[in-house]
Amino acid sequence: MELATGFQRCKVIHSLQFRLLTAFTLVILVSMGGVFFFINQVTQQEIRGFEERAERVRTGRIEFELSLYYSRQGDWNGIQPFVEQWGSFYGRQIIVIDAKGIVVADSQGKLLGKPHSPDASGRPILLRGTGSVIGTLYISPGTSPGTGFESLPILFKSIGRFFLWGGLIAIALALLLTFLLSWRVLAPVKALTVTARRLGQGDFSQRVQFKGKGEIGELAQSFNLMASELERNEELRRNMVADVAHELRTPLTNMKGYLEAVSDGVIAPDAATIRSLYEETALLSRLVDDLQELALAEAGQLKLLPQPEDIYELINRVVALVQPQVTAKGLSVSVEPSQPLPPVNIDAQRISQVLRNLLENAIAHTDKGGAISVAAWQQDNWVKVSVTDTGEGIPAEDIPNIFERFYRVDKSRDRNTGGSGLGLTISKRLVEAHGGKIEFQSELGKGSRFSFTVPLAQT
């Protein structure tokens, strides 16, 4: 029970709502403290200024009264009672020295009749009569040790209560605003958290239902895009696993059937049977090789051996390799003439594989009597190679997935029309490994055109 309570307390402390509340409260307290501090400083300055002005007024009044007394009396006799009264009233030690340097009046009575020492407290003020100095006045400086503290009671009495009530009201408003803002801000965040948790548990259909604007809205949109991509990748992964299993199962089933038939004496282990087994083994081996090659390409671990090559020589060599398939299906293939091209920097074996995959794809999807053409031309520092056919074309719904693993436009799994479904995927990875790109245009019922770029050799 205590552990659960501690966990809940820790969860509350680390929640964004609690942090917002704490932040608002701290901002209010710091703001109020700062304002109160500056008001106190200004109040202290005003008090000090008031005391300085009052001190000047007191000094001027005493100086005037002393000069007036001397002008009336003609000397300092009888001045002591007045000085004592002033000292008591103003709370200062007041000393009057005649022109000979003898103390003629002391508000405290300690120095009366004595020569005045030069280190007497206070600033000396010369007293002037009619054209001559009649004495010197000393007034001890005021001791106001509590000037800074004296301002505090003034502040508390005048505006302190307003600050107190204002602070309490501000904190209450902060609590209310925190709940309102946290509800508005944290609602989509909580929705994101719940959706992300379900997404992590394998439910890739989850989406955040939030259509607001701003950063949270952009985050929700990005999250939904990520979820869509994860769902699509998961679907492709499942399809890939199913397709790999199917592609491996078909030749293995055929081989198992032949071997069982031979074992049961249904068919003889003659040359035809061995040839059929060999073809199935070759097909299985090619599929495994394609899968391994695709894995290396996607991991960026393909080993390329690029060197300068004549692109036309490579094209003619690959066209000659597929010529038997072209002839057997009643098609025609041609290499369009062009100006001589500079050497390209490629791994000839890999680019030959790309070109052969594109030609075999064109052959598979072009009906009897159709034509296939291969062309090459220079584009800046690249050479572009294209394979164009007059085949069936690609439906619009299949275009986004044409380079996906095991994807076939022909949904039947006949290898005569569909192959293994890895050729275009491998071709794309091989071209990208050379720094180029592969693209295509297609019109349903009129044919397709696949093209790719390879870099020129550095001269």
Side-chain angles (χ1 to χ4, degrees):
M1 186 66 182
E2 294 180 358
L3 182 61
T5 304
F7 176 76
Q8 292 294 332
R9 188 183 299 112
C10 182
K11 186 176 180 180
V12 169
I13 291 175
H14 289 88
S15 67
L16 184 56
Q17 190 176 43
F18 179 79
R19 294 181 181 182
L20 285 174
L21 175 60
T22 305
F24 279 133
T25 304
L26 286 176
V27 168
I28 291 172
L29 292 177
V30 170
S31 300
M32 291 180 59
V35 172
F36 192 84
F37 172 77
F38 286 115
I39 291 179
N40 183 54
Q41 292 295 111
V42 172
T43 304
Q44 291 183 27
Q45 292 178 3
E46 290 297 324
I47 291 175
R48 284 193 291 267
F50 174 78
E51 289 185 347
E52 290 174 359
R53 291 191 295 273
E55 186 72 21
R56 287 195 295 270
V57 171
R58 285 194 294 268
T59 302
R61 182 175 300 172
I62 295 173
E63 182 180 356
F64 173 77
E65 292 291 341
L66 289 174
S67 298
L68 182 61
Y69 181 89
Y70 190 87
S71 63
R72 289 176 178 177
Q73 294 292 118
D75 56 27
W76 293 111
N77 294 329
I79 193 62
Q80 176 65 19
F82 296 100
V83 171
E84 290 180 356
Q85 184 180 1
W86 293 337
S88 176
F89 181 77
Y90 292 123
R92 302 283 192 274
Q93 182 183 12
I94 301 174
I95 300 174
V96 180
I97 304 174
D98 63 10
K100 297 179 181 179
I102 303 299
V103 176
V104 294
D106 180 6
S107 61
Q108 296 181 358
K110 298 178 179 179
L111 303 177
L112 191 61
K114 298 180 181 179
H116 187 62
S117 61
D119 58 347
S121 60
R123 179 174 60 87
I125 302 171
L126 295 179
L127 300 174
R128 298 181 181 275
T130 54
S132 61
V133 176
I134 59 177
T136 305
L137 170 66
Y138 286 89
I139 302 177
S140 65
T143 57
S144 302
T147 300
F149 295 101
E150 290 172 0
S151 63
L152 294 178
I154 298 175
L155 281 178
F156 282 122
K157 289 179 181 179
S158 57
I159 62 176
R161 66 181 64 183
F162 297 105
F163 263 88
L164 179 61
W165 284 108
L168 293 176
I169 294 173
I171 292 175
L173 289 176
L175 289 171
L176 180 61
L177 287 175
T178 299
F179 283 111
L180 293 177
L181 290 175
S182 62
W183 176 81
R184 184 175 180 83
V185 174
L186 297 181
V189 175
K190 290 180 179 178
L192 278 168
T193 302
V194 172
T195 305
R197 187 178 296 114
R198 292 176 179 173
L199 198 68
Q201 293 171 352
D203 186 359
F204 295 102
S205 63
Q206 293 293 316
R207 299 293 184 274
V208 179
Q209 302 301 323
F210 181 75
K211 298 182 180 179
K213 298 181 180 179
E215 290 80 358
I216 300 295
E218 292 179 2
L219 177 61
Q221 292 178 6
S222 300
F223 183 89
N224 288 338
L225 289 174
M226 179 193 70
S228 299
E229 188 64 24
L230 286 173
E231 184 178 22
R232 179 173 176 272
N233 289 337
E234 177 64 14
E235 182 179 359
L236 290 174
R237 185 190 67 80
R238 291 175 181 173
N239 292 339
M240 183 189 73
V241 172
D243 287 339
V244 169
H246 176 84
E247 296 296 335
L248 292 175
R249 186 186 301 113
T250 302
L252 288 173
T253 300
N254 291 340
M255 292 170 63
K256 181 180 179 181
Y258 276 114
L259 292 173
E260 287 179 349
V262 171
S263 178
D264 295 340
V266 177
I267 60 175
D270 53 14
T273 303
I274 294 175
R275 184 169 59 254
S276 297
L277 288 170
Y278 177 79
E279 289 174 357
E280 295 295 339
T281 304
L283 179 63
L284 187 61
S285 177
R286 180 179 176 182
L287 178 60
V288 172
D289 289 342
D290 285 348
L291 286 170
Q292 182 181 16
E293 192 166 55
L294 180 60
L296 290 174
E298 292 184 339
Q301 296 180 355
L302 271 180
K303 294 182 179 179
L304 300 180
L305 299 174
Q307 58 185 6
E309 298 284 350
D310 186 334
I311 192 65
Y312 274 117
E313 181 181 342
L314 183 143
I315 291 173
N316 289 324
R317 187 165 64 246
V318 176
V319 168
L321 288 174
V322 300
Q323 187 64 53
Q325 301 177 47
V326 172
T327 303
K329 197 169 182 181
L331 307 175
S332 64
V333 62
S334 62
V335 179
E336 295 183 5
S338 179
Q339 297 295 328
L341 295 174
V344 291
N345 189 41
I346 58 172
D347 185 322
Q349 181 180 354
R350 300 296 189 181
I351 297 302
S352 296
Q353 184 179 356
V354 172
L355 190 55
R356 183 166 181 171
N357 285 339
L358 296 181
L359 284 168
E360 289 179 347
N361 184 71
I363 294 169
H365 295 281
T366 304
D367 295 331
K368 184 178 180 179
I372 301 172
S373 62
V374 184
W377 64 96
Q378 183 176 353
Q379 283 188 344
D380 298 327
N381 295 325
W382 302 85
V383 166
K384 195 167 190 176
V385 181
S386 68
V387 176
T388 307
D389 64 63
T390 58
E392 59 195 28
I394 302 173
E397 63 271 16
D398 292 315
I399 288 177
N401 302 313
I402 200 67
F403 290 109
E404 296 295 341
R405 311 178 194 89
F406 297 108
Y407 192 85
R408 296 191 189 88
V409 174
D410 184 357
K411 297 302 185 293
S412 69
R413 297 185 181 273
D414 184 2
R415 288 183 180 77
N416 293 327
T417 59
S420 67
L422 293 174
L424 290 179
T425 308
I426 293 175
S427 298
K428 183 175 184 294
R429 298 293 186 268
L430 291 177
V431 170
E432 290 174 347
H434 282 80
K437 64 179 181 178
I438 188 169
E439 54 191 6
F440 72 96
Q441 298 87 34
S442 183
E443 187 174 354
L444 191 62
K446 293 186 177 180
S448 303
R449 177 186 181 187
F450 284 83
S451 58
F452 63 91
T453 55
V454 289
L456 292 176
Q458 298 294 327
T459 56

